């Protein structure tokens, strides 16, 4: 069991549906194995403030269905300094925490990697971000739920778009990743999707919309990923309207609506598998790894590799389908 006696678990960065299910799995797996668990509230900020919580199996009861994170989360600039990292480690050591499970995105993984490298504390990371932009896992916690939230919104917006012969531009989250936009665009039957990974000229978009209008499409929906190089949904809508006014145009920014809500069945199961696997990996002597899902298997990826190849590659067939299925 690698001599581990007390595991610290924390969430950091943006919250994602499924984080609570993952915390639950980490806590109960560790306790089942006879290892103490400490919840670290507010991520790296909590480490600096010794905001620790000795957790029991009952502390994680009835949370598997709840969005957000019971451990809270925060951004922490101080932790990024050598002095801050050292102080965090000293607080962990004083409390007897000898290993960590970190749940979050690439910023969380970078911080965990630095803490482990500089001070030798074993760390396992679990990808928890709706952006689905970490290498080493086909899916990250929260991505499926966030995508379903977007699809539900698209379905409702389409009812209005069709009723009024309107063109809707819907902006979705994902930072520099177009994963949510692409999958939601296909599942929601969007006429076009603008992605950070692919340059789409406004003239090209207008040509496509004109073709749809000529084919008697009474309405259209364009999904715009927030990291798209054209500058966001409002800017895209303004530029399209300058040259193409066939439809009455409207813009909807879904924003943080996508980050909340009860996790889907997929995210609950994924969270449970990853939390369970992370504890087992720590107890088997693994360190500085990210736990992920590839195919239907749980795999470990070295943190350096996961962070070096930080962005998820979009599937070629999905990219092609957007054009084919929107005619």
């Amino acid at each position: 069991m690698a001599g581990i006696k007390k595991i610290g678990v924390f969430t950091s960065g943006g919250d994602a549906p499924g984080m609570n299910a993952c915390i639950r799995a980490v806590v109960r797996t560790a306790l089942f194995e006879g290892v103490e668990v400490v919840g670290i509230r507010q991520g790296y900020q909590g480490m600096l403030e010794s905001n620790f919580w000795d957790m029991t199996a009952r502390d994680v009861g009835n949370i598997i269905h709840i969005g957000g994170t019971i451990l809270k989360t925060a951004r922490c600039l101080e932790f990024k300094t050598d002095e801050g990292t050292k102080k965090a480690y000293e607080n962990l050591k004083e409390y007897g925490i000898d290993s960590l499970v970190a749940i979050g995105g690439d910023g969380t993984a970078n911080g965990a990697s630095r803490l482990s490298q500089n001070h030798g504390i074993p760390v396992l990371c679990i990808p928890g971000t709706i952006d689905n932009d970490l290498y080493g896992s086909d899916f990250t916690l929260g991505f499926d739920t966030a995508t379903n939230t977007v699809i539900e919104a698209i379905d409702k917006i389409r009812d209005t778009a069709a009723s009024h012969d309107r063109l809707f531009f819907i902006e979705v989250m994902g930072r520099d990743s177009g994963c949510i936009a692409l999958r939601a665009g296909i599942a929601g039957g969007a006429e076009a999707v603008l992605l950070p990974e692919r340059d789409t000229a406004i003239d090209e978009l207008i040509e496509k919309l004109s073709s749809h209008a000529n084919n008697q499409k009474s309405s259209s929906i364009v999904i715009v990923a927030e990291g798209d190089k054209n500058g966001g949904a409002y800017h895209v809508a303004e530029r399209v309207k300058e040259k193409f006014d066939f439809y009455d145009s409207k813009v909807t920014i879904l924003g943080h609506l996508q980050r909340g809500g009860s996790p889907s069945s997929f995210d609950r199961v994924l969270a449970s598998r990853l939390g369970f696997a992370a504890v087992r990996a720590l107890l088997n002597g693994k360190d500085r790894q990210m736990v992920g899902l590839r195919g239907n298997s749980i795999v470990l990826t070295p943190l350096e590799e996961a962070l070096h190849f930080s962005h998820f590659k979009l599937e070629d067939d999905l990219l092609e389908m957007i054009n084919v299925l929107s005619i």
Side-chain angles (χ1 to χ4, degrees):
M1 291 175 57
I4 289 174
K5 297 180 179 179
K6 187 180 286 189
I7 296 174
V9 59
F10 66 98
T11 52
S12 181
D15 62 297
M19 280 185 165
N20 282 327
C22 192
I23 294 166
R24 173 181 179 271
V26 169
V27 170
R28 291 190 171 178
T29 302
L31 293 174
F32 181 86
E33 298 292 348
V35 177
E36 294 180 65
V37 191
V38 176
I40 303 169
R41 294 185 176 99
Q42 294 189 311
Y44 293 116
Q45 187 67 42
M47 288 186 197
L48 293 172
E49 297 173 355
S50 295
N51 194 352
F52 301 141
W53 173 14
D54 294 316
M55 302 189 77
T56 69
R58 301 288 72 78
D59 289 327
V60 292
N62 296 319
I63 68 169
I64 195 169
H65 63 291
I66 299 173
T69 163
I70 63 168
L71 292 178
K72 308 297 183 182
T73 180
R75 312 279 182 183
C76 183
L77 295 178
E78 184 182 353
F79 180 80
K80 295 182 178 181
T81 66
D82 290 340
E83 294 79 7
T85 304
K86 182 180 179 182
K87 179 181 177 182
Y89 171 71
E90 289 173 348
N91 288 343
L92 293 170
K93 186 177 179 181
E94 182 179 355
Y95 206 76
I97 297 170
D98 53 22
S99 57
L100 292 170
V101 174
I103 307 169
D106 56 357
T108 303
N110 269 304
S113 180
R114 187 171 66 254
L115 183 61
S116 181
Q117 269 187 319
N118 293 348
H119 300 287
I121 186 168
V123 168
L124 263 288
C125 291
I126 294 173
T129 167
I130 67 168
D131 301 337
N132 205 39
D133 61 351
L134 280 170
Y135 178 82
S137 187
D138 293 344
F139 299 101
T140 59
L141 292 185
F143 168 68
D144 183 69
T145 305
T147 304
N148 285 330
T149 298
V150 173
I151 293 167
E152 183 179 353
I154 292 172
D155 290 346
K156 292 178 179 180
I157 289 170
R158 186 175 289 282
D159 291 343
T160 295
S163 297
H164 295 271
D165 293 344
R166 283 178 176 165
L167 166 61
F168 266 89
F169 295 88
I170 304 174
E171 184 172 305
V172 304
M173 296 179 82
R175 203 172 52 170
D176 297 324
S177 167
C179 286
I180 291 177
L182 180 58
R183 287 177 179 263
I186 291 173
E191 278 64 39
V193 180
L194 304 187
L195 304 164
E197 296 87 349
R198 171 179 283 189
D199 289 336
T200 302
I202 296 298
D203 288 343
E204 180 184 342
L205 175 61
I206 291 172
E207 183 179 346
K208 177 180 287 191
L209 294 173
S210 297
S211 174
H212 291 162
N214 291 334
N215 287 332
Q216 284 79 51
K217 278 207 170 188
S218 62
S219 62
S220 285
I221 287 180
V222 176
I223 306 298
V224 183
E226 64 179 349
D228 176 66
K229 297 175 180 62
N230 287 300
Y234 277 112
H235 187 63
V236 171
E238 288 175 0
R239 293 179 63 189
V240 168
K241 195 171 183 178
E242 289 174 0
K243 301 181 180 180
F244 180 75
D245 60 1
F246 181 85
Y247 298 114
D248 178 22
S249 297
K250 300 293 180 181
V251 176
T252 298
I253 310 293
L254 295 182
H256 285 77
L257 172 73
Q258 298 155 84
R259 287 242 295 257
S262 182
S264 66
S265 171
F266 181 88
D267 273 330
R268 296 183 199 193
V269 174
L270 178 62
S272 300
R273 293 183 73 182
L274 296 182
F276 173 84
V279 173
R280 285 287 175 89
L282 276 176
L283 298 182
N284 286 324
K286 302 298 183 182
D287 180 24
R288 299 181 67 213
Q289 304 279 323
M290 190 184 78
V291 188
L293 180 75
R294 291 185 184 172
N296 195 33
S297 299
I298 299 297
V299 298
L300 296 178
T301 301
L303 275 182
E304 290 81 2
E305 184 178 336
L307 292 169
H308 178 70
F309 301 103
S310 59
H311 291 293
F312 189 89
K313 184 180 183 296
L314 299 179
E315 299 91 335
D316 290 336
D317 62 325
L318 298 187
L319 291 168
E320 185 179 2
M321 283 166 59
I322 283 292
N323 290 325
V324 173
L325 301 185
S326 66
I327 61 172

